[in-house]
Amino acid sequence: MEAKKIFITGATGNIGKSLIKYLLEQEGTDQIIAGVRNVERARGQFPTHERLTFRAFDFEDQTTFNALKEVDRVFLLRPPHLADVDRYFKPLIDAFQQNQINQVAFLSVQGVEKSKVIPHHKIEKLIVESGLEYIFVRPSYFMQNLTTTLYEELKTHGTITLPAGNAVFNWVDIENIGEASAILLSNFEQYKNRPFEITGGENLSFSEVVSMINQEIDTQLKYRSVNPFKFFLLKKQQGTAVPFIMVMIMLHFLPRFQSAPKCSDAYTLLSKKLPTTIREFAKREQQLLRP
Ligand SMILES: NC(=O)c1ccc[n+]([C@@H]2O[C@H](COP(=O)([O-])OP(=O)(O)OC[C@H]3O[C@@H](n4cnc5c(N)ncnc54)[C@H](OP(=O)(O)O)[C@@H]3O)[C@@H](O)[C@H]2O)c1
């Protein structure tokens, strides 16, 4: 198979780091190009590898789109703060075409087809309408939200406060998403023009997750559900930006009125492994999860 140049956006983030690790672990000759805002800082975050190079790339600065020169395939991730699809993603997809890039794998989200308002929906539509060959990676709720977005309160107070009630979420390990994405990117021809829901095997509420973690690593974490108004005020007092609070409410309150997410077997079919369970995640990340 001919070696490809694969350009990775969001390379220094949760998914990007895991994806690059799995791409480099695979035997093969594909060149991995990490498109990053700060090349020097990014270099320090990865082991040196002959197949990994770095180029300056900023979604918010079109002069950096020359980083796409001589690229064959792109892994596209939407950084969480970029919601204006016409402003940031339309010109980028035009730049793919100007650079004869015809293949894009996009990190989307499970359920995207049902929610016309989220940016991922618009980005998927843009990709399809532009005639690019695509793979849509649609993951469920990241287990690592516990050790990133929700981490400060968990670490400091041993609590998680959300407007999620008893809503169930499908919990997926970022490692499983990185691994599945690496397989999909390296075998693009085989999997192209299809969506892949990458999920874990468990639909669980926050109270169930917290009690499993407590049993597994002997902690006393607590989950407190509050109504969305109280959540808004609490977060506002803590200085959280309003758009971010609104996203948190949308992500955690709306599932109370939706049917339980689907468990997909795509990860297992691709990797021939079972997805990580919450108990395995708790054990692996116990250093972080102990307040
Ligand atoms: N959390 C969930 O449960 C969940 C579930 C499904 C889907 N998702 C989706 O997953 C995506 C987030 O993935 P993630 O957690 O891996 O992201 P992340 O950890 O927040 O990382 C964001 C990445 O984007 C880069 N970035 C930010 N602004 C940039 C810019 N202007 N130009 C170039 N690069 C920029 C960051 O680089 P720097 O190092 O320069 O900051 C970083 O590498 C979102 O689209 C989200 O909707 C999340």
Side-chain angles (χ1 to χ4, degrees):
M1 222 170 10
E2 195 194 332
K4 298 285 180 196
K5 291 201 174 79
I6 307 179
F7 188 83
I8 313 288
T9 64
T12 54
N14 297 310
I15 301 290
K17 274 204 196 119
S18 167
L19 166 63
I20 290 177
K21 181 184 83 181
Y22 282 104
L23 281 171
L24 294 177
E25 270 175 24
Q26 289 173 352
E27 281 175 25
T29 49
D30 289 341
Q31 294 295 316
I32 315 303
I33 305 164
V36 296
R37 284 192 285 194
N38 184 327
V39 168
E40 278 322 301
R41 204 179 54 204
R43 249 189 247 286
Q45 296 181 35
F46 293 89
T48 308
H49 195 291
E50 58 184 11
R51 290 201 287 122
L52 177 63
T53 52
F54 296 84
R55 289 185 192 170
F57 170 79
D58 189 335
F59 281 93
E60 294 162 83
D61 176 4
Q62 291 183 27
T63 64
T64 66
F65 291 2
N66 59 5
L68 296 166
K69 264 200 191 106
E70 287 163 25
V71 161
D72 299 301
R73 198 170 283 168
V74 173
F75 178 77
L76 179 64
L77 177 141
R78 179 192 75 92
H81 69 288
L82 298 184
D84 189 338
V85 174
D86 286 338
R87 179 164 174 198
Y88 297 112
F89 292 88
K90 175 89 178 59
L92 182 60
I93 287 168
D94 290 345
F96 291 167
Q97 294 180 310
Q98 283 151 19
N99 286 281
Q100 284 88 45
I101 300 168
N102 194 32
Q103 300 186 325
V104 55
F106 171 56
L107 183 85
S108 186
V109 59
Q110 187 183 31
V112 65
E113 69 286 0
K114 288 178 273 181
S115 175
K116 290 204 165 80
V117 292
I118 59 171
H120 307 77
H121 184 97
K122 295 184 193 159
I123 297 171
E124 284 199 4
K125 195 159 171 266
L126 207 56
I127 292 172
V128 172
E129 286 171 356
S130 68
L132 292 168
E133 296 182 341
Y134 64 86
I135 288 173
F136 295 144
V137 181
R138 295 178 176 167
S140 54
Y141 190 85
F142 298 174
M143 291 180 184
Q144 280 80 353
N145 289 332
L146 295 169
T147 50
T148 55
T149 327
L150 305 173
Y151 193 53
E152 200 176 313
E153 184 192 342
L154 194 133
K155 186 75 189 163
T156 322
H157 303 291
T159 57
I160 297 169
T161 307
L162 283 173
N166 290 320
V168 292
F169 296 78
N170 180 282
W171 297 75
V172 66
D173 182 5
I174 275 172
E175 286 292 307
N176 298 164
I177 306 169
E179 185 178 8
S181 303
I183 296 167
L184 290 167
L185 267 173
S186 308
N187 301 280
F188 198 97
E189 289 295 335
Q190 186 182 345
Y191 296 117
K192 71 185 179 189
N193 301 336
R194 284 160 60 189
F196 290 83
E197 289 195 359
I198 306 299
T199 75
E202 299 166 300
N203 279 345
L204 299 167
S205 67
F206 270 87
S207 39
E208 288 170 320
V209 164
V210 163
S211 93
M212 281 181 171
I213 296 173
N214 286 340
Q215 283 168 17
E216 203 57 39
I217 62 168
D218 200 20
T219 44
Q220 311 224 313
L221 306 177
K222 288 196 172 51
Y223 164 60
R224 180 167 70 121
S225 178
V226 291
N227 71 50
F229 304 105
K230 183 152 187 188
F231 182 76
F232 183 89
L233 293 176
L234 276 171
K235 288 287 151 192
K236 193 93 205 308
Q237 275 162 13
Q238 291 164 7
T240 311
V242 169
F244 186 69
I245 306 177
M246 299 314 288
V247 170
M248 291 288 282
I249 292 177
M250 204 181 82
L251 273 178
H252 296 96
F253 183 62
L254 295 187
R256 290 166 75 157
F257 310 100
Q258 294 163 345
S259 46
K262 256 192 345 209
C263 292
S264 152
D265 56 3
Y267 170 74
T268 300
L269 291 174
L270 291 167
S271 69
K272 315 276 181 286
K273 293 181 203 161
L274 291 174
T276 312
T277 64
I278 276 287
R279 287 179 186 277
E280 288 164 348
F281 172 78
K283 237 187 191 144
R284 193 181 77 204
E285 302 299 341
Q286 55 182 300
Q287 297 278 71
L288 282 175
L289 290 169
R290 282 183 208 287

